[in-house]
Amino acid sequence: MDYQHVQVPFEITLWIMLASLAKIGFHLYNKLPSVVPESCLLIFVGLIMGGIIYGLNDRSPPVMDSDIFFLYLLPPIVLDAGYFMPSRPFFENIGTILLYAVVGTIWNVFGIGFSLYGICQVKAFQLQDVSLLHNLLFGSLIAAVDPVAVLAVFEEIHVNEKLHILVFGESLLNDAVTVVLYKLFRSFCEMPAVKSLDVLAGVGKFFVVGLGGVLVGLAFGLTAAFTTRFTKDIRVIEPLFVFLYSYLSYLTAEMFHLSGIVAIIACAMGMKRYVEANISLKSHTTVKYFMKMWSSVSDTLIFIFLGVSTIGENHEWNWPYICFTVIFCLVWRALGVLVLTFFVNRFHVNTITGKDQFIIAYGGLRGAICFSLVFLLPDFHRKKLFIAATTVVILFTVFIQGMTIRPLVDLLAVKRKRESAPTVGEQIHIRFLDHLLAGIEDISGHWGQYYWKDKLEYFNSKYLQKLLLREHDQPKSSIVLLYEKLERKHAIELAEAGQLAHAPAHPALLNNRAVIAESKLEDTLNLDILDNIQEILARNLYRTRRTGPAYNRHTLPGETEPVEHAKEILILRHRGL
Amino acid sequence: MDYQHVQVPFEITLWIMLASLAKIGFHLYNKLPSVVPESCLLIFVGLIMGGIIYGLNDRSPPVMDSDIFFLYLLPPIVLDAGYFMPSRPFFENIGTILLYAVVGTIWNVFGIGFSLYGICQVKAFQLQDVSLLHNLLFGSLIAAVDPVAVLAVFEEIHVNEKLHILVFGESLLNDAVTVVLYKLFRSFCEMPAVKSLDVLAGVGKFFVVGLGGVLVGLAFGLTAAFTTRFTKDIRVIEPLFVFLYSYLSYLTAEMFHLSGIVAIIACAMGMKRYVEANISLKSHTTVKYFMKMWSSVSDTLIFIFLGVSTIGENHEWNWPYICFTVIFCLVWRALGVLVLTFFVNRFHVNTITGKDQFIIAYGGLRGAICFSLVFLLPDFHRKKLFIAATTVVILFTVFIQGMTIRPLVDLLAVKRKRESAPTVGEQIHIRFLDHLLAGIEDISGHWGQYYWKDKLEYFNSKYLQKLLLREHDQPKSSIVLLYEKLERKHAIELAEAGQLAHAPAHPALLNNRAVIAESKLEDTLNLDILDNIQEILARNLYRTRRTGPAYNRHTLPGETEPVEHAKEILILRHRGL
């Protein structure tokens, strides 16, 4: 027997197998997953396994390696999140999300950091040696809401789309802030004296890290889309490029100390539309399926490792510090959400209700990112205290908050997600209203979201599609695509129910051909009418407005500009009054 | 910038990316792949890259790591080969394949080893220090036909199914022989004296390594099938189990020094049938697609690495030895195929023609397995000579034989693969004949392949299906499954061509409902008839024979045994005369 030789792949495979079998096990009892979130069960399995390892070996079980977490386990989950991100609600609420992610996280970091420093001044707790900088450093790693934990819980409770995207979007985009603050305070801790210039540089880094991530992601995403233009003859490796380019975007961003999470999300969202149009239907099924599978396995492994790593002797149980950490995390988040939402609601018609605010505050779960960051801290004499506090906060949020959020959502009667997908009629109306609003914004000179969406759409169809799509001369409208998809689904359903008309396939077995011929004529007529409707809707709804010279500044800029200038001046003056 | 941190995954991703882009590049020019096999082009890319690395660094480029090859690159290719192996021709020709794989490989090893030892005795070549054992060791690694190289070339030339399975099956199953002989001679080289007991133990190992691999593979395959019984609620991780269990079977076999290739093939062939029935259609698409994708990437990487590793200074260019190695490889293989086929043809009605024999002998390509084995040799003063000879043999077979085999197949007018899939009618006839032959063998008491197939089928439906299938009480006949698949395909085609009958979906838009109702009645009638035919064929064709007491020994053994015994005695006596 030669175990050494196969050890590494064998153990990795066994861990993945264990995780998958645990997942199957939970679903065998249908009642269990509806009461306890899967993440809790997985941490529990991890705790048991950690206990067994600890009992057998009499030393701490291996701790989850931060490198493994950040390089291999996190990217699949974030890629999945970015690729399946509903782009419409995301961009509609991007302002609110950014406010929560940037201002909210900074608020939490400083709030938690300063109040914990206050606690440290109480002599009875024996914590006077923890400096303000160390408290702020701890605040920076404990403040960030974790996308993996949020996803695991919110996927199961089905709250309405807006609420979901607010919490989930925040948890993804706060990565840029966390990265900057964590690294800033870490370097400050090692510096002899902190100059004001360093603080200024830190503020500048926010923009570099966040926007740099977006740019890296978009660059790789568009390259991926461009590459899939040429895969027509080797369909079999098409799915690969989606994974390769997004992973490269993450690694490149990490290499330059930018936000990898932001990069991979930008990459996924940027390429999705073009890749989908370029690759074959089966490739796309594979991409979607494998992404879900991969993220599901990563997610499972993370929670199990989290449980295993909790057991051991690397904790310092100073209970006052730990308890106050949990309390401050809850209090500052609740305050932050209240204050920020107050400002958000003043500028929006569609306000965030009190119930929603409660769920946003209560849904701020912490997870494996905090855990990995605390282990990445440089060694100093209170590191074990921070590890213990982080562990307790994670277990508290995942177990207590994660398990009670579903009953609370039921109790408060928070607005749920609508069950059915929008009908074709609704889609057409939404699109129609979009164009209408873009037109109104165009006329009124208000540069709102519809204006920018329209601009982007124009740039996309004029330049990007030509460059990135294989069959760019006839881009299919999304309504036509939806129609085709529905047709295909309908056909499969018919075939599976055995209702498919066999007229063309087995004509010899039929007695009365004339009847069939007539019914076929009916069908074709029917189809023709439908096709006409689709065509008219898909093509003309957009183009009529675009080609109308009076409202448009793209096509005939020379003629319309003076008029529009005048209008804008008028409107601005009107506002000024 | 922090390159160290992301180096490992970044470089792996870049290599895969380079391989995939190279693949796309070749297919952009349609003429290139039709003249030169892809494997040659990839080795060429590797040679250029190796040259660049050599030129820039002024030292040998990194050599393909044998561990990486055997643990990570080879399994996906073999899994793909095993999973998509056409089981009917494989089992029909299993005797011939085993003869080629076992006897043929031993013949080649000893033939090449002894004749090279003869060459070493020629004083002019300065090779007297290469012992007989070293020559045999070299023979054992150079004799084995490589599945990766064979697959890459034979997939492109489309010879008939039997010829393909003979070469390909041999290349897969000779792994057991290669492993045993290679390890045997390696240990002999390090022993002071070889005893006859060691040789006997070596012979016994053949069976252990081969059969052990089969058993390990089947055990994991059946466990995989059993596991997929319980994945109904979490469809998304279904594909994972196919990959995890087959990889575990490979690693476990390697751990116990059994044949990993044989294990993974047995695992894939064992689980395929049950897994396919248990998992959802989309999961199955993902499994198939991802397997193809993965094996395609592995294959590409192997050939590129082969090219890169060729460049460098670890070669000893003793041309007489190298040239004679190439010649002996060709000659002994040709002789072996001639002699073995002579015996095979005496016992078969469907003989292997002269043209087929030529292609079998000529298609014996060597590849990355030889290359990895030669680098795994313990250091001794002539290792560089062996490396040089192996490199030349691989390049000769892949480039010269690989590029000329297609014109030769055209020139000799070797029987090609039939383009179209068998019709439903043909499938029914084949199945009917199978049952007929099984019945004839049953009556005549001849225990041939149909008899064993029938036994296995009985065991499968009686025990295995009940244990391994989720819906075991109604196992669908393969004809019904095929029919459903055709229906589904047909429906999608209709939907894509816009010909789908909309009658049930949009009744309001139709003028004449009566006509439709009538035509629907016709369709249902038509479907009913078809369904009846299918049902009758699928169920009764098999059962009538099985339940007939006179010909069967499964159902009523007590009653029929005496009659059959008498029959068997009669037949055996008849033969004896």
Side-chain angles (χ1 to χ4, degrees), chain A residues 107-370:
Chain A
W107 165 286
N108 277 318
V109 170
F110 284 96
I112 296 170
F114 279 111
S115 21
L116 280 177
Y117 181 62
I119 295 297
C120 290
Q121 301 318 306
V122 179
K123 276 190 182 165
F125 297 156
Q126 298 176 320
L127 288 161
Q128 281 106 323
D129 55 332
V130 185
S131 70
L132 176 62
L133 265 180
H134 275 119
N135 271 317
L136 285 172
L137 177 59
F138 180 63
S140 75
L141 67 88
I142 203 74
V145 175
D146 188 81
V148 183
V150 165
L151 205 61
V153 167
F154 273 71
E155 266 193 348
E156 290 177 7
I157 59 175
H158 304 292
V159 294
N160 65 74
E161 212 172 26
K162 190 182 171 185
L163 183 52
H164 183 256
I165 205 74
L166 284 181
V167 182
F168 183 49
E170 180 205 336
S171 71
L172 285 172
L173 297 188
N174 67 20
D175 178 60
V177 181
T178 312
V179 167
V180 171
L181 284 182
Y182 178 77
K183 288 191 177 153
L184 202 68
F185 288 129
R186 233 181 84 165
S187 59
F188 284 175
C189 282
E190 284 158 5
M191 274 184 210
V194 180
K195 290 174 199 158
S196 56
L197 196 70
D198 294 326
V199 178
L200 268 181
V203 175
K205 265 190 188 166
F206 276 126
F207 298 97
V208 176
V209 167
L211 292 178
V214 171
L215 288 181
V216 167
L218 281 182
F220 275 98
L222 297 182
T223 319
F226 185 70
T227 310
T228 52
R229 264 191 77 165
F230 304 102
T231 52
K232 203 181 170 185
D233 295 321
I234 23 170
R235 292 284 187 199
V236 91
I237 57 169
E238 276 175 350
L240 201 64
F241 288 106
V242 174
F243 299 108
L244 286 181
Y245 277 107
S246 34
Y247 192 42
L248 274 184
S249 77
Y250 181 84
L251 292 177
T252 311
E254 288 285 306
M255 194 159 72
F256 293 107
H257 294 295
L258 306 173
S259 167
I261 293 184
V262 171
I264 206 168
I265 288 173
C267 177
M269 292 182 88
M271 75 179 155
K272 189 185 181 191
R273 178 173 188 167
Y274 307 106
V275 165
E276 258 180 35
N278 277 338
I279 69 179
S280 78
L281 202 73
K282 277 192 177 175
S283 297
H284 196 229
T285 305
T286 308
V287 167
K288 286 192 290 184
Y289 223 86
F290 215 80
M291 223 175 245
K292 282 270 168 237
M293 191 178 96
W294 212 337
S295 72
S296 163
V297 169
S298 278
D299 170 285
T300 313
L301 282 176
I302 287 174
F303 285 115
I304 287 187
F305 278 145
L306 211 55
V308 171
S309 310
T310 304
I311 306 286
E313 283 155 2
N314 36 21
H315 302 288
E316 182 193 333
W317 300 109
N318 184 314
W319 283 107
Y321 192 84
I322 293 171
C323 291
F324 275 108
T325 307
V326 174
I327 293 166
F328 288 143
C329 279
L330 288 173
V331 170
W332 283 104
R333 181 162 175 86
L335 279 178
V337 170
L338 274 179
V339 173
L340 290 176
T341 315
F342 174 74
F343 287 108
V344 168
N345 278 349
R346 286 194 62 177
F347 293 99
H348 281 76
V349 182
N350 193 358
T351 58
I352 301 167
T353 65
K355 287 174 189 173
D356 286 356
Q357 288 176 43
F358 176 76
I359 296 297
I360 292 173
Y362 201 71
L365 309 182
R366 268 68 163 184
I369 290 186
C370 309

Side-chain angles (χ1 to χ4, degrees), chain B residues 92 433-455 545 551-553 564 567-568 571 575:
Chain B
E92 270 176 5
L433 281 173
D434 279 1
H435 293 317
L436 194 71
L437 285 165
I440 291 171
E441 286 188 353
D442 233 6
I443 298 168
S444 67
H446 169 71
W447 291 1
Q449 53 169 322
Y450 295 101
Y451 172 83
W452 285 113
K453 199 177 162 188
D454 189 44
K455 274 270 193 200
R545 191 176 62 72
Y551 305 134
N552 201 301
R553 65 180 61 152
E564 293 208 317
K567 248 187 250 165
E568 261 174 32
I571 288 157
R575 270 196 201 154

Side-chain angles (χ1 to χ4, degrees), chain B residues 79-369:
Chain B
L79 173 64
D80 178 67
Y83 199 82
F84 293 101
M85 176 91 82
S87 59
R88 199 187 161 83
F90 179 75
F91 285 111
E92 270 176 5
N93 297 299
I94 184 78
T96 317
I97 292 171
L98 278 176
L99 195 72
Y100 284 140
V102 179
V103 183
T105 306
I106 295 174
W107 164 285
N108 277 319
V109 169
F110 285 95
I112 295 170
F114 280 110
S115 19
L116 279 178
Y117 182 62
I119 294 300
C120 290
Q121 302 315 308
V122 179
K123 277 193 182 163
F125 297 157
Q126 299 176 318
L127 288 161
Q128 281 105 321
D129 55 333
V130 185
S131 70
L132 177 61
L133 264 179
H134 275 121
N135 271 316
L136 284 172
L137 177 59
F138 180 64
S140 76
L141 68 87
I142 204 75
V145 174
D146 187 83
V148 184
V150 165
L151 205 62
V153 167
F154 273 71
E155 266 193 348
E156 291 177 6
I157 59 175
H158 305 293
V159 293
N160 65 74
E161 213 172 24
K162 189 181 169 186
L163 183 52
H164 183 257
I165 204 75
L166 284 180
V167 182
F168 182 49
E170 180 205 338
S171 71
L172 285 173
L173 298 188
N174 67 19
D175 178 61
V177 180
T178 311
V179 167
V180 172
L181 285 181
Y182 177 77
K183 287 191 177 151
L184 202 68
F185 289 128
R186 233 182 84 167
S187 58
F188 284 175
C189 282
E190 283 157 7
M191 275 184 211
V194 180
K195 290 174 199 158
S196 56
L197 197 71
D198 296 326
V199 178
L200 269 181
V203 175
K205 265 191 189 165
F206 276 126
F207 298 97
V208 175
V209 168
L211 292 179
V214 171
L215 287 182
V216 167
L218 281 182
F220 276 99
L222 296 183
T223 318
F226 184 70
T227 309
T228 51
R229 264 189 77 165
F230 304 102
T231 52
K232 204 180 170 187
D233 295 321
I234 23 169
R235 291 282 186 202
V236 90
I237 58 169
E238 276 175 351
L240 200 65
F241 288 105
V242 174
F243 298 108
L244 285 180
Y245 278 107
S246 34
Y247 192 43
L248 274 184
S249 77
Y250 181 85
L251 291 178
T252 311
E254 287 286 307
M255 193 158 74
F256 294 106
H257 295 296
L258 306 173
S259 167
I261 293 185
V262 171
I264 205 167
I265 288 171
C267 177
M269 292 180 87
M271 75 178 154
K272 189 185 181 192
R273 179 172 186 169
Y274 307 104
V275 165
E276 256 179 36
N278 278 337
I279 69 179
S280 77
L281 201 74
K282 277 193 177 175
S283 297
H284 197 229
T285 304
T286 306
V287 167
K288 286 193 291 184
Y289 224 87
F290 214 79
M291 224 176 245
K292 282 269 167 236
M293 190 178 98
W294 212 338
S295 72
S296 162
V297 169
S298 277
D299 169 286
T300 312
L301 282 175
I302 287 173
F303 285 115
I304 287 186
F305 278 146
L306 211 56
V308 171
S309 310
T310 305
I311 306 286
E313 282 157 3
N314 36 22
H315 302 288
E316 182 192 335
W317 300 108
N318 184 314
W319 284 106
Y321 192 85
I322 293 171
C323 292
F324 275 107
T325 307
V326 174
I327 293 167
F328 289 141
C329 280
L330 288 173
V331 169
W332 283 104
R333 182 163 175 86
L335 281 178
V337 170
L338 275 180
V339 172
L340 291 176
T341 315
F342 174 74
F343 287 107
V344 168
N345 279 348
R346 285 194 64 176
F347 293 98
H348 281 79
V349 182
N350 191 0
T351 57
I352 300 167
T353 64
K355 285 174 190 172
D356 285 356
Q357 288 176 43
F358 176 76
I359 296 298
I360 292 173
Y362 201 72
L365 308 183
R366 268 69 163 183
I369 290 186

Side-chain angles (χ1 to χ4, degrees), chain A residues 527-537:
Chain A
L527 251 188
D528 279 350
I529 295 167
L530 270 182
D531 264 349
N532 272 341
I533 295 168
Q534 302 281 0
E535 286 296 310
I536 291 164
L537 282 170

Side-chain angles (χ1 to χ4, degrees), chain A residues 6-21:
Chain A
V6 298
Q7 188 178 10
V8 177
F10 197 75
E11 285 181 1
I12 293 173
T13 318
L14 274 187
W15 271 110
I16 299 176
M17 183 74 98
L18 173 89
S20 316
L21 290 178

